[in-house]
Amino acid sequence: MKRGKRNVGVAFGVLVAAVLISAAVQLWNVHRTTSDWALWPKMVPSKVQFANRDYQCGPNPAPGTRSLDGLTKQGKTAGGGDTYAARLEGPDLTATWIVVATQTATYTCDLIGGP
């Protein structure tokens, strides 16, 4: 009988370890792409990767007043927000800011590190 309880205890321990490792991997993957420590990415993450550059939205982004006029939809954030940027011509031009739009507001994110 003691062997059965020990086997159940070991199986439970292995299950708990597997769940904790999975959660840690998920946390790290979200943090690596968004700089947020969360299990699931936010629609407006702290950091947005766009056109091979990083843009800072901040840990608690505030809704902006920037209009989407003249901007084109360029993609989505990891959390599902729509990414808008001005259409730039030429190989060396980099957007110095982008706009992330959700269903309720727009958020301006600035380029990290300059062009």
Side-chain angles (χ1 to χ4, degrees), residues 26-110:
Q26 177 67 14
L27 278 169
W28 178 250
N29 286 334
V30 170
H31 177 70
R32 189 172 40 86
T33 58
T34 67
S35 292
D36 294 324
W37 286 106
L39 283 175
W40 309 110
K42 299 185 287 186
M43 287 188 84
V44 184
S46 296
K47 180 179 75 174
V48 176
Q49 294 175 337
F50 169 74
N52 297 321
R53 302 301 295 265
D54 291 333
Y55 292 82
Q56 182 70 33
C57 301
N60 297 308
T65 58
R66 195 175 297 265
S67 168
L68 297 178
D69 294 338
L71 304 178
T72 58
K73 184 176 175 182
Q74 303 285 326
K76 289 196 169 287
T77 65
D82 294 324
T83 305
Y84 289 83
R87 185 172 301 275
L88 301 172
E89 303 296 331
D92 296 330
L93 296 178
T94 301
T96 57
W97 54 268
I98 60 172
V99 174
V100 175
T102 65
Q103 295 88 352
T104 57
T106 60
Y107 302 83
T108 301
C109 305
D110 296 317

